[in-house]
Amino acid sequence: MRTRTKLATLILAGALPVIAGAAPASAVVTPKRSCPVTYGVLITSHSHYRLPAKGQYYKDGPGGTMSVHVTKASTISYSLSTSLEVSASYLFASAKASVGGSITKSVAVTTGHTYTHNISAHKFGNMQYGSNGFKLGWESNRTNPNCTTTVLKKGTAKFPVTSVGWYYWETKS
């Protein structure tokens, strides 16, 4: 009974590996790591970047005021979201009959605005229409079977965003 008490005391104290004998470090087997081969793209950096619209650059001066106008045409189309198999044409015809004849599959919209800016004396005003986008740094990579990552290619890309407008600056000539 006394031996059991000592063994129980040693187990509670965390000394069991000493009594049972710990395996030597050379006997520890580390399983090989294995990862599935995958490919991906990592965005490494991003910064604001102005993307100009081609043919939308104007210069005026010296001094005075300059005004520019932009008109944009777009189309708003209907959309259908369903988990059932429903014919879009059948749904459109049913909606037109039930709700009213003003329902349409699409409608054209034209909007515009004018931008005016004072030009400092003896300076030239410059305006350019464009998007306030982003310049991104990226890298294409592969995860290898041994779980390391290999960079395959690096580069930069410029992306517009839906925010567009005029950019104004002044020059000496």
Side-chain angles (χ1 to χ4, degrees):
M1 184 75 172
R2 193 161 194 229
T3 306
R4 284 187 180 176
T5 305
K6 282 184 180 179
L7 182 59
T9 303
L10 290 172
I11 290 172
L12 290 174
L16 181 59
V18 174
I19 293 173
S26 61
V28 176
V29 177
T30 305
K32 275 189 158 185
R33 288 180 25 179
S34 178
C35 290
V37 175
T38 57
Y39 294 86
V41 174
L42 175 68
I43 303 301
T44 57
S45 65
H46 73 280
S47 59
H48 293 280
Y49 190 85
R50 179 139 184 92
L51 290 129
K54 290 183 179 170
Q56 298 294 316
Y57 169 73
Y58 303 94
K59 185 174 187 173
D60 202 355
T65 302
M66 71 183 296
S67 292
V68 288
H69 183 79
V70 65
T71 302
K72 181 176 169 126
S74 61
T75 303
I76 301 170
S77 300
Y78 80 104
S79 63
L80 173 62
S81 168
T82 181
S83 58
L84 304 172
E85 289 188 26
V86 176
S87 163
S89 297
Y90 178 74
L91 182 62
F92 174 73
S94 298
K96 192 165 183 125
S98 298
V99 178
S102 63
I103 287 181
T104 183
K105 289 184 180 180
S106 65
V107 62
V109 178
T110 303
T111 59
H113 73 274
T114 301
Y115 183 75
T116 303
H117 203 287
N118 292 326
I119 305 169
S120 301
H122 311 293
K123 299 278 182 154
F124 287 86
N126 300 269
M127 283 200 219
Q128 189 166 41
Y129 202 74
S131 171
N132 301 310
F134 288 95
K135 182 176 183 179
L136 305 175
W138 61 270
E139 64 182 37
S140 172
N141 55 47
R142 176 184 66 227
T143 301
N144 301 311
N146 64 357
C147 300
T148 60
T149 302
T150 302
V151 175
L152 303 173
K153 246 184 179 181
K154 291 182 177 186
T156 58
K158 297 169 190 161
F159 286 95
V161 296
T162 55
S163 168
V164 294
W166 291 103
Y167 176 66
Y168 176 82
W169 72 99
E170 292 184 347
T171 56
K172 292 182 180 180
S173 59

